[in-house]
Amino acid sequence: MNSEEKTVLIIDDDKFLLDMYIVKFKEKGFNVQAALGSIEALEIIQNGLNPVAILFDLVMPAMDGFELLQKIKADKLAPDAKYIILSNLGQDADREKGKELGADGYIVKASVTPSEVVEYVTNLLDGGEKK
């Protein structure tokens, strides 16, 4: 993958976490675009960003992650991206809803390190197993 093909969009309303993920993805050679919430993320995608992966939290103000995923899919934005939920909500119902809406992966933040998140995304992009 060239650098343009390795752009990820990370969406979280926690700036500290966002900054930590940015550092870890950049260490592994990814270009990183970050958004502090769904509204900002939607604008970035509508303005033409077509990342290989979009990682997003579920609990965010204004528009939650499920609504964001529905909107992106309905508007056919970033059609080639892998959609990965990155949340502390780990209930089966949340996982099922994510899958029904088209999420390619689901990571419970509290159970993984940022480095493991990068590894998960890399494996998913390389056609590896979904968890």
Side-chain angles (χ1 to χ4, degrees), residues 9 11 14-15 22 28 36-38 47 50 53-55 60 81 85 92 95 98 105 118-119 121-122 126 131:
L9 173 60
I11 308 153
D14 182 328
K15 179 138 177 49
I22 290 168
K28 294 296 181 183
L36 273 168
S38 297
N47 286 331
N50 192 15
I54 299 173
L55 291 88
M60 292 184 285
I85 295 169
D92 287 343
R95 290 176 182 273
V118 175
E119 191 177 311
V121 172
T122 302
D126 289 343
K131 292 180 186 171

Side-chain angles (χ1 to χ4, degrees), residues 21-70:
Y21 288 120
I22 290 168
V23 168
K24 291 297 177 186
F25 274 94
K26 283 186 174 181
E27 283 175 356
K28 294 296 181 183
F30 284 90
N31 289 327
V32 182
Q33 180 78 49
L36 273 168
S38 297
I39 305 299
E40 184 182 334
L42 203 51
E43 288 174 3
I44 290 168
I45 297 167
Q46 287 169 334
N47 286 331
L49 182 72
N50 192 15
V52 293
I54 299 173
L55 291 88
F56 57 96
D57 195 2
L58 291 177
V59 181
M60 292 184 285
M63 180 191 306
D64 72 25
F66 290 131
E67 292 174 274
L68 174 65
L69 181 56
Q70 284 176 299

Side-chain angles (χ1 to χ4, degrees), residues 55-111:
L55 291 88
F56 57 96
D57 195 2
L58 291 177
V59 181
M60 292 184 285
M63 180 191 306
D64 72 25
F66 290 131
E67 292 174 274
L68 174 65
L69 181 56
Q70 284 176 299
K71 179 83 175 134
I72 291 170
K73 292 278 192 176
D75 293 351
K76 295 179 175 46
L77 301 169
D80 302 325
K82 296 287 186 189
Y83 301 96
I84 302 153
I85 295 169
L86 182 60
S87 178
N88 278 322
L89 298 179
Q91 301 297 320
D92 287 343
D94 296 317
R95 290 176 182 273
E96 275 306 308
K97 185 173 182 181
K99 193 181 290 186
E100 286 169 15
L101 293 174
D104 296 290
Y106 198 112
I107 303 169
V108 178
K109 281 189 232 181
S111 65

